[in-house]
Amino acid sequence: MTQTLTSRSLVRRARLADAGDIQRLITMFADRDEMLHRSLGEIYENIRDFYVAEDEAGRIVACGGLHVCWSHLAEIKSLAVDESQQGRGYGRKIVEACLDEGRDLGLKTVFALTYKPEFFGRLGFRIVDKATLPHKVWNECIRCPKFPGCGEIAVVYDLERAALPLLNLPVFG
């Protein structure tokens, strides 16, 4: 039986003291080539982008950030959930916090590049061609050692559309 977040679990903005735990979570997946490594310096420089999830004991078990790319566009980056804690809602709660922040900022679109589009699809994201995200591709992806063949799938969430009544349409149509 899958456990879910309890009232003692917490998703919050990251603090400087969380940087080492954030790097630990990211490195766990980056070492398996499932996401990009992030240096501790890069995490400190972008700490304001990050959210973390704490379990009942106060341990950091998940992280993820919202990084603004342009006036209308932001990316969910470095979403990682400790393998022993997956399926409990931590990743979903971090994505929801990022989407809420995107709405507060007045963004139109939030996207992610992922090897797990099914996870994002369950949250209302849809698959798009990476070419529809030129601010990401030509600002960041082009400098990546995996460019152009990283294999990540682009998914987007339309914040403006999400304010409309939901229709029962396929996410990956």
Side-chain angles (χ1 to χ4, degrees):
M1 184 167 129
T2 302
Q3 295 180 355
T4 57
L5 287 171
T6 68
S7 60
R8 291 174 293 195
S9 303
L10 175 68
V11 172
R12 62 169 173 78
R13 298 302 304 235
R15 301 180 196 121
L16 288 169
D18 300 327
D21 286 321
I22 292 169
Q23 187 183 39
R24 173 185 54 80
L25 287 165
I26 292 169
T27 299
M28 181 184 335
F29 296 97
D31 283 349
R32 296 191 310 226
D33 210 25
E34 295 176 1
M35 65 187 339
L36 292 176
H37 282 92
R38 303 285 180 202
S39 70
L40 196 53
E42 184 179 1
I43 293 168
Y44 279 124
E45 288 173 4
N46 295 287
I47 198 74
R48 291 178 177 174
D49 289 352
F50 279 95
Y51 290 89
V52 295
E54 295 179 354
D55 66 8
E56 299 82 10
R59 292 180 299 251
I60 305 292
V61 295
C63 66
L66 182 72
H67 185 77
V68 175
C69 302
W70 206 251
S71 65
H72 65 288
L73 184 67
E75 178 182 11
I76 294 177
K77 295 178 88 163
S78 301
L79 181 65
V81 179
D82 188 287
E83 287 180 311
S84 69
Q85 302 296 316
Q86 290 181 2
R88 297 182 182 196
Y90 292 113
R92 176 180 49 83
K93 286 293 189 186
I94 287 177
V95 169
E96 288 172 353
C98 290
L99 294 175
D100 287 344
E101 181 181 4
R103 283 184 196 92
D104 290 346
L105 290 170
L107 295 169
K108 293 180 181 178
T109 306
V110 173
F111 75 95
L113 297 180
T114 182
Y115 292 113
K116 302 194 182 214
E118 306 82 16
F119 167 80
F120 286 95
R122 288 191 299 271
L123 299 176
F125 286 72
R126 61 187 170 83
I127 294 175
V128 297
D129 188 317
K130 276 189 235 178
T132 65
L133 303 167
H135 293 100
K136 172 67 177 179
V137 173
W138 298 112
N139 187 37
E140 251 185 272
C141 289
I142 198 161
R143 295 182 307 218
C144 179
K146 295 182 179 185
F147 184 79
C150 74
E152 288 184 311
I153 296 168
V155 294
V156 299
Y157 189 96
D158 299 307
L159 292 170
E160 291 179 340
R161 182 175 151 218
L164 300 172
L166 292 176
L167 302 174
N168 193 13
L169 299 173
V171 175
F172 299 104

